Amino acid sequence: MIEKLNKTFCALPGVGSKTAQRFVYHLLERDREGGFELAKALVDAMEHVKHCSSCRTLSEKNICNICANDVRDSSQLCIVETPTDIHAIEQSGVYKGKYFVLSGYLSPIDGIGAAELGLDELEQKLRNLKVEEIILATNATVEGEVTAHYISNMAKQFDVQITRIAHGIPIGGELEYADINTIAHALSGRKNYD
Amino acid sequence: MTKVDLTPAFLIHRRAFKESSLLLDFFTLEYGKIRLVGRGLRKSKTNIQMFQCLNISFSGKGELKTLSNWEVDDTPRIIKGEALILSMYVNELISRLLFDQDPHFKLFEIYKQFIVQITNMNQQAGYWLLRLFENNLLSELGYALDLSHDINGNDINKNNRYEYQHQLGFLHADTGKISGKLINQMLIEDIENMPDAQQLKVCRDLNRQRLNPLLGNKPLKSRSLFFTK
């Protein structure tokens, strides 16, 4: 039983057998109650958390809180790769629109194409809802760029403004230490100073 | 124990590996296609990117070796839009068709040129460049096509029409779709003087016919990313 629990903890990212062992003995010897709570919370989450039927993020409800919130601007749709990206953007507090989660990026070699990212769903959404702007917030990687390009091509058929998040020098960063690609992007995407 | 110091390479594919590492597929000058593990690279701020000539060092004992160092040996490049899709397609071809650790010196140079040229090309010219790359790739793999003579040993005539006989070559036929001019343009790899849209499609179909048997029953996923069918 201990062995089995040990192996189960190893399924978590960054947890090897040594750390797993520490977890197991801590729960068994010092915190049985915490162990029960953990088990219950895990079962609850595994059973009830699913993908939001509107934006595909993880949610315990059929429609997640952000999608269900009428105060948020539904004319703006921000497209991100993962649910954790939503969390990052929400923390910045500047975005008040809605989201769409791809759960990955286009990766032909791995066999991940448009269907796997739910782009048909996105197309339906653009067709049926009144979206005025889509913000392509995929990562600043080649794969993220390919995905953004594909989506922008698909969205051109609709009357919608297509924008891409800016790439450049991080706040507090020094030019000297930025890599040449970032500098090239930052220069080509420069804005009027006001 | 293998230890390789700073060899020219292009990253052609990467995927997440364990918590903070990456599995990286490189196309290198001296070692052909090789897969390495980049430990802790997912957490690094400046990440290793595709379509840039790099110098990489790696070492290790087993089959999967570890990337120990890398540096960029190229000017910054921003490939956008359709050119980016074409470049991804080329990466998928290399990933699927080359054998591991089988060097292809000439192809490496051609790939390097392709990346430089595609960056500033319009769509039609990009497709033509891609067709020429496919030709070179097939030749490197040992499936070169005789572009100077037809099946019967006669010189290809610019004004004639031809049809393609699989694995044999071109056959002179008045109803053939392939113009002698196209075959000639493929031979001299003339980037400036490209075929018209209709012959470019013929060229695409020809290469597809040649590539498909090598790809087996798993089609290239990048093809579904092409919008202009």
Side-chain angles (χ1 to χ4, degrees), chain A residues 14 107 110-111 141 143 149 181, chain B residues 13-15 19 50 52 81:
Chain A
S107 179
D110 293 326
T141 54
E143 298 89 337
H149 172 72
N181 278 309
Chain B
H13 185 57
R14 65 164 174 206
R15 74 191 77 172
E19 196 191 4
M50 292 189 234
Q52 266 194 323

Side-chain angles (χ1 to χ4, degrees), chain A residues 13-14 105-111 113 116 140-143 145-146 149-150 153-154 179-181 184-185 188, chain B residues 12-15 19 46 49-52 74 76-78 81-82 84-85 88 91-92 95 221-222 225 227:
Chain A
Y105 49 77
L106 289 177
S107 179
I109 296 178
D110 293 326
E116 287 77 8
T141 54
V142 168
E143 298 89 337
E145 195 56 45
V146 171
H149 172 72
Y150 187 93
N153 257 351
M154 183 263 280
D179 69 295
I180 50 170
N181 278 309
H185 267 285
S188 70
Chain B
I12 54 170
H13 185 57
R14 65 164 174 206
R15 74 191 77 172
E19 196 191 4
T46 48
Q49 291 286 332
M50 292 189 234
F51 310 126
Q52 266 194 323
D74 210 342
R77 182 170 300 124
I78 303 172
E82 210 66 31
L84 190 57
I85 304 263
M88 292 295 275
N91 279 2
E92 192 180 4
S95 167
K221 203 81 180 179
S222 315
L225 299 186
F227 263 78

Side-chain angles (χ1 to χ4, degrees), chain A:
Chain A
M1 228 177 263
I2 294 177
E3 193 66 12
K4 192 178 167 196
L5 187 57
N6 202 322
K7 276 203 180 126
T8 321
F9 272 123
C10 287
L12 295 171
V15 177
S17 63
K18 199 87 187 165
T19 315
Q21 201 176 32
R22 269 184 32 230
F23 287 173
V24 170
Y25 282 104
H26 174 82
L27 290 176
L28 288 176
E29 288 198 298
R30 306 225 166 85
D31 197 3
R32 292 257 169 169
E33 209 172 302
F36 278 119
E37 267 175 42
L38 178 66
K40 192 173 169 298
L42 263 178
V43 170
D44 275 354
M46 292 305 126
E47 275 180 358
H48 298 117
V49 174
K50 51 196 174 225
H51 291 278
C52 166
S53 62
S54 175
C55 72
R56 296 176 22 119
T57 192
L58 292 172
S59 166
E60 58 210 73
K61 298 179 205 152
N62 201 14
I63 303 274
C64 72
N65 288 341
I66 293 178
C67 289
N69 186 345
D70 291 335
V71 181
R72 294 190 76 113
D73 186 357
S74 54
S75 69
Q76 280 186 324
L77 192 65
C78 182
I79 296 164
V80 294
E81 286 182 15
T82 62
T84 45
D85 294 337
I86 293 190
H87 183 69
I89 296 177
E90 281 302 290
Q91 278 190 318
S92 77
V94 291
Y95 181 66
K96 301 286 177 231
K98 298 200 169 170
Y99 293 94
F100 187 83
V101 180
L102 301 170
S103 298
Y105 49 77
L106 289 177
S107 179
I109 296 178
D110 293 326
I112 299 172
E116 287 77 8
L117 298 184
L119 294 184
D120 316 346
E121 263 176 68
L122 180 62
E123 199 172 340
Q124 282 301 323
K125 224 174 153 92
L126 293 177
R127 184 166 285 132
N128 300 332
L129 301 176
K130 217 174 165 307
V131 178
E132 284 166 21
E133 179 185 0
I134 57 169
I135 302 166
L136 301 167
T138 48
N139 286 338
T141 54
V142 168
E143 298 89 337
E145 195 56 45
V146 171
T147 312
H149 172 72
Y150 187 93
I151 296 173
S152 83
N153 257 351
M154 183 263 280
K156 269 181 197 152
Q157 56 179 309
F158 305 106
D159 181 24
V160 54
Q161 187 189 3
I162 304 163
T163 56
R164 176 94 170 101
I165 49 164
H167 309 318
I169 310 293
I171 302 293
E174 290 175 32
L175 269 181
E176 189 187 344
Y177 296 108
D179 69 295
I180 50 170
N181 278 309
T182 306
I183 295 177
H185 267 285
L187 275 175
S188 70
R190 67 187 185 276
K191 291 202 296 188
N192 281 329
Y193 191 75
D194 47 26

Side-chain angles (χ1 to χ4, degrees), chain B residues 175-192:
Chain B
T175 52
K177 280 186 181 161
I178 307 166
S179 73
K181 193 177 162 207
L182 173 68
I183 301 174
N184 200 257
Q185 282 166 319
M186 280 160 69
L187 175 69
I188 54 177
E189 302 198 354
D190 192 349
I191 294 174
E192 303 296 320

Side-chain angles (χ1 to χ4, degrees), chain B residues 17 19-22 37-45 47:
Chain B
F17 180 62
E19 196 191 4
S20 60
S21 301
L22 291 171
V37 54
R39 298 204 190 279
L41 270 190
R42 274 172 81 190
K43 284 185 178 167
S44 122
K45 271 194 179 158
N47 232 324

